[in-house]
Amino acid sequence: MADHGILSSLLTTFQPVNFLSCFIGAVVGTLVGVLPGLGPAAAMALVIPLTLKLGPTAGLIMLAGIYYGSMYGGSTTSILVNVPGEPASVVTTIDGYAMARKGRAGAALAVAAIGSFVAGTFSVIALQFFAPLLARSALAFGPAEYFTLTVLGVIMLSNLTGKSRARSLIMIMVGLLLSTVGTDPVGGMERFSFGLEAAQGGVSFIALTTGLFGVAEVFAVMAEGEEQIKLLPVRFRELYPNREEIRRSVAPMARGSVLGFLIGLLPGPAATMASFASYGLERRISKHREEFGKGAIEGVAGPESANNAAAGGAMIPLLSLGLPFTPATAVLLGGMLLHGITPGPFLLRDRPDVFWGVVGSFYLGNMMLLILNLPLVGIFAKIVRVAPKYLMPTVLVLCVIGAYGDNSSLFDVWVMLGAGVVGYVMRKYDYAPAPLIVGLVLGPVMERSLRQALIISKGSLSGLWESPLCIAMWIVILLAAVLPFAMHVVHKSTGTRRNA
Amino acid sequence: MATRKERLSGLVVMLFGAGSLLYNLKYPLDTWGNPGPGVFPLMAGTVLVVLAAWVLGRDILKPASREGGESNAQCTPLKETFRITQGERRIFLMIAVFVLYILMIKWIGFFVSNFFFVILASRLIGARSWGAPVALSAGINLFCYALFDLWLKLSFPRGVLF
């Protein structure tokens, strides 16, 4: 294994067939991320037969290219039209779209691309040093640890929007409830589908997000009235981040890279958790806290770096435990099995060429995405300059295609419309939609791990906090839950004393 | 935000949680050693109802805001709370058009209904003429047909016309 370091992984990726596979994967992935209708999982599934002819390393590099290319493409639509392509870019809508509305779409897109590249580089280098060790430690995660981790996620991300913690928690609970629609993950019983065949597969993530973000945004623009919508003139030099924006992005990128990599090592929906956690961290420590939600560059740089670093770090639990947490990674693992490669703790030892080839392709792919996309920033940024009366109908049609294309089901289009109406009402009543997505993503993992942990411990609740890892996480959960209230009480009493 | 609005939103969320708990009675809870499919929705629903009740209670008991907010006694009149703006009227119209559009997809096919939908949506969002929305709609349909139907092979409903 020692001979398979950063150099050998890059050398593997630079072999002509692997290089070309990486390029095709990154381009197709970006298109899939930008355009609705064909999600990364579906695109990867379509490409699998082609990859079988390429061999395992090149084939998997192409599939991985589609995966991270779509992550970048998803961020582009989040910033430009408030429609996140996948869960990890939901948080980018908050400040990325706000920047776009202020005429800084180009800067947001460029920072997202640079941040992704920086974080991708960091995660690849970190993997070289820690992968063997981390592959073993990932095995320490059992159902009880998974459950505790998801509870930790809920608590840590409940202060995401910086508004009311209670309202965010309410939205997370709604997301958790929505995640129970469809087939029960343990026993296979049908729940909350109201006898509708189309609902048996659960609530479509694409339908829900396109509705909550895209359709609701169109409604919000309509409510503002045409006279309120100002199209800001953008000069060429304003398309790219200015010195101040770059200066403010450096530290969030660095923090996002480290945080994202660490979260990526934990089994679970890592990229999503990482982007949300990074946003929360940046909002908490920023000197420009008041700008968050209104177009803070840190709100784009941090999460975009974090989700990319997490995607790199997540290769460890993904490949060593063989447990996918998103449809796209499930297809990636399916592709591995079709290529005769069994994911597991010994993959790194037995097939280092495949492991490091895929990891190296992350780095190369990020470089390709940066080179390909930076010149396109100007073109993308012009999209937001299109008058709403033409842009918004186009967004609606793309949302419909996205929702329909996920399962070829009109039911999902109805779900999207319903989510759009609810999303608009939520905005009006100050409920942010992002925490709902956290609940929807964490729900299935949380439920499955809770029930499995209880089965293993024969119904003893103490099974949920027996291991040292669980104890450590529960302590953090308690601190995270209690500290804000304690601080609030201290601030209140200090204020009262001062007033007196 | 108006106090009445806060209360209303808290109440709606609480009712949603309570409704989900009632519906969840259909599913078995089984035992702690073998938890059934009703356990997790029960837990999430209960936390939701408790949180919503807490938010609602907090809003009801909230004292009058120092910054000119409203007290319990001086709530915005009900009429004002439910006041619908001109923009929101257009949203209602858009929703009606959207519903009609989804219903028509099955009968007259995706592309035909899409053509009319884009024109109407563009007009509702602010287009004053008919020419530009028609051109936009034709362009979008052509793009969607070439990319999604011909190239990506997404199967859209054809309807009775094709």
Side-chain angles (χ1 to χ4, degrees), chain A residues 419-451:
Chain A
V421 175
V422 172
Y424 172 72
V425 176
M426 274 165 58
R427 279 169 185 230
K428 220 179 147 183
Y429 287 72
D430 225 15
Y431 283 86
L436 189 148
I437 303 297
V438 172
L440 192 70
V441 172
L442 289 181
V445 188
M446 192 183 237
E447 178 175 11
R448 196 183 306 114
S449 53
L450 171 68
R451 288 169 65 184

Side-chain angles (χ1 to χ4, degrees), chain B residues 90-130:
Chain B
R90 288 192 298 165
I91 294 175
F92 282 121
L93 268 175
M94 177 66 96
I95 293 169
V97 170
F98 220 131
V99 168
L100 202 64
Y101 163 58
I102 303 174
L103 289 173
M104 297 308 278
I105 287 177
K106 227 174 181 173
W107 294 319
I108 59 169
F110 174 76
F111 291 104
V112 179
S113 40
N114 205 37
F115 179 76
F116 292 112
F117 173 68
V118 173
I119 296 170
L120 290 173
S122 181
R123 290 278 298 181
L124 278 172
I125 297 172
R128 297 214 165 84
S129 67
W130 286 97

Side-chain angles (χ1 to χ4, degrees), chain A residues 57-130:
Chain A
T57 309
L60 290 173
I61 284 174
M62 187 183 278
L63 290 177
I66 296 174
Y67 172 54
Y68 52 70
S70 69
M71 283 181 71
Y72 182 81
S75 310
T76 307
T77 51
S78 290
I79 292 167
L80 295 178
V81 285
N82 201 28
V83 180
E86 30 78 50
S89 53
V90 163
V91 80
T92 310
T93 56
I94 302 173
D95 279 287
Y97 183 65
M99 282 183 74
R101 293 202 72 177
K102 282 174 18 186
R104 302 298 300 148
L109 287 168
V111 163
I114 297 166
S116 300
F117 172 70
V118 170
T121 309
F122 173 80
S123 71
V124 169
I125 294 169
L127 277 176
Q128 306 296 316
F129 292 106
F130 303 115

Side-chain angles (χ1 to χ4, degrees), chain A residues 35-36 166 170 189-192 194 219 222 389-390 392 394 397 401 404 414 424 428-429 451 454-455 459, chain B residues 5 13 20 23 27 32-33 35 37 54 87-88 90-91 102 114 118 122 125 128 132 140 144 147-148 155 157:
Chain A
L35 298 168
I170 282 174
M189 191 181 187
E190 199 187 310
R191 292 178 302 185
F192 298 104
F194 300 96
F219 290 160
M222 289 177 78
K389 59 190 173 191
Y390 306 127
M392 293 304 158
T394 314
V397 170
I401 294 173
Y404 177 80
W414 286 112
Y424 172 72
K428 220 179 147 183
Y429 287 72
R451 288 169 65 184
L454 285 172
I455 290 169
Chain B
K5 277 189 176 178
V13 174
S20 75
Y23 197 81
Y27 307 117
W32 281 112
W54 185 65
E88 283 171 336
R90 288 192 298 165
I91 294 175
I102 303 174
N114 205 37
V118 173
S122 181
I125 297 172
R128 297 214 165 84
I140 289 177
C144 290
L147 183 71
F148 297 110
S155 59

